[in-house]
Amino acid sequence: MDISLMGFDTPFFRNLHHILEATDDANNNNKSSNAGPTRAYVRDARAMAATPADVKEYPNSYVFIVDMPGLKSGDIKVQVEEENVLVISGERKNEEEKEGVKYVRMERRIGKFMRKFSLPENANTEKISAICQDGVLTVTVEKLPPPEPKKPKLIQVQVA
């Protein structure tokens, strides 16, 4: 399969294509699985590459914006892993095929998607909200208040 014909002729997609071909070759030759990345790794890498996101920092929060056209809130999962990794994932399912209807062109991506973001130390993982409106998911992570500066301890000098 020539990926340049599909409009994916970038270094990232060429490398990803190379990894997929190497994985297929390893599986076809019955070699050990240590020869390259696992199918799960390749699947996750593909899902992350196909899910672009914008990240903004405001004075009191971090905002993650991800385009998710045509998805319902039940198809999207937002969670925190390992105490500081924000994971946005889900699945866009294929429409049921109707009798007598066939695709002439299919460009919209279907399947699983995922993005992982390492949150900074000042992110409050207890105060996260997610809103999906007009096909755009907005996840807001509030910041922790800055620590109060320590006041110097005053030691009284006694006269002897």
Side-chain angles (χ1 to χ4, degrees), residues 78-95:
V78 178
Q79 60 189 25
V80 176
E81 294 178 348
E82 301 171 13
E83 297 185 26
N84 72 333
V85 178
L86 177 69
V87 180
I88 300 172
S89 62
E91 184 172 7
R92 179 175 286 120
K93 296 178 178 140
N94 199 0
E95 298 174 4

Side-chain angles (χ1 to χ4, degrees), residues 5 18 23 27 54 56 63 70-71 74 86 104 108 155 158:
L5 295 175
H18 176 72
T23 304
N27 289 339
D54 296 336
K56 297 179 180 179
V63 177
L71 290 178
L86 177 69
V104 175
R108 295 184 304 154
I155 300 172
Q158 296 180 357

Side-chain angles (χ1 to χ4, degrees), residues 22-38:
T23 304
D24 285 342
D25 291 344
N27 289 339
N28 291 339
N29 294 335
N30 293 327
K31 292 183 180 176
S32 70
S33 61
N34 294 336
T38 64

